[in-house]
Amino acid sequence: VPFVDMMVSMCDSSIPLTTGEWEEWGNPNESEYYEYMLSYGPMENIADGPKPEVLITAGLHDPRVAYWEAAKYAARLRAADRSNPDSRILL
């Protein structure tokens, strides 16, 4: 599963590996990095409109990316594709 909800995860220092990533990516709790990271975060950049068919997978016990990130991503994609209530965005 890709790291799709990075702004939520990267702002939470209690999540394992997060603070170690701050050196490479920047700490979104600091204003100089927050806006920049927001500009490319997958979850924050879902535009309204038609979406392609998508299968999103997640690992229930994946220690790196929590399963709920994939669930939230699927929900946001579905909400953004209002033109097609039958769109196949599968989780």
Side-chain angles (χ1 to χ4, degrees), residues 5-82:
D5 199 8
M6 61 173 253
M7 292 304 290
V8 170
S9 297
M10 290 296 291
C11 286
D12 186 349
S13 63
S14 70
I15 297 173
L17 306 176
T18 298
T19 55
E21 298 293 340
W22 288 350
E23 280 188 40
E24 183 177 348
W25 297 12
N27 180 350
N29 295 305
E30 297 175 12
S31 61
E32 80 177 278
Y33 298 107
Y34 182 82
E35 291 299 324
Y36 174 66
M37 293 174 78
L38 200 62
S39 75
Y40 67 82
M43 198 71 88
E44 291 75 27
N45 289 289
I46 297 173
D48 286 342
K51 302 291 179 260
E53 294 184 350
V54 179
L55 171 62
I56 302 166
T57 61
L60 188 57
H61 300 289
D62 186 337
R64 297 158 297 180
V65 180
Y67 68 88
W68 56 80
E69 287 195 24
K72 286 169 54 175
Y73 188 60
R76 288 211 187 159
L77 285 174
R78 290 174 185 147
D81 189 3
R82 299 165 213 245

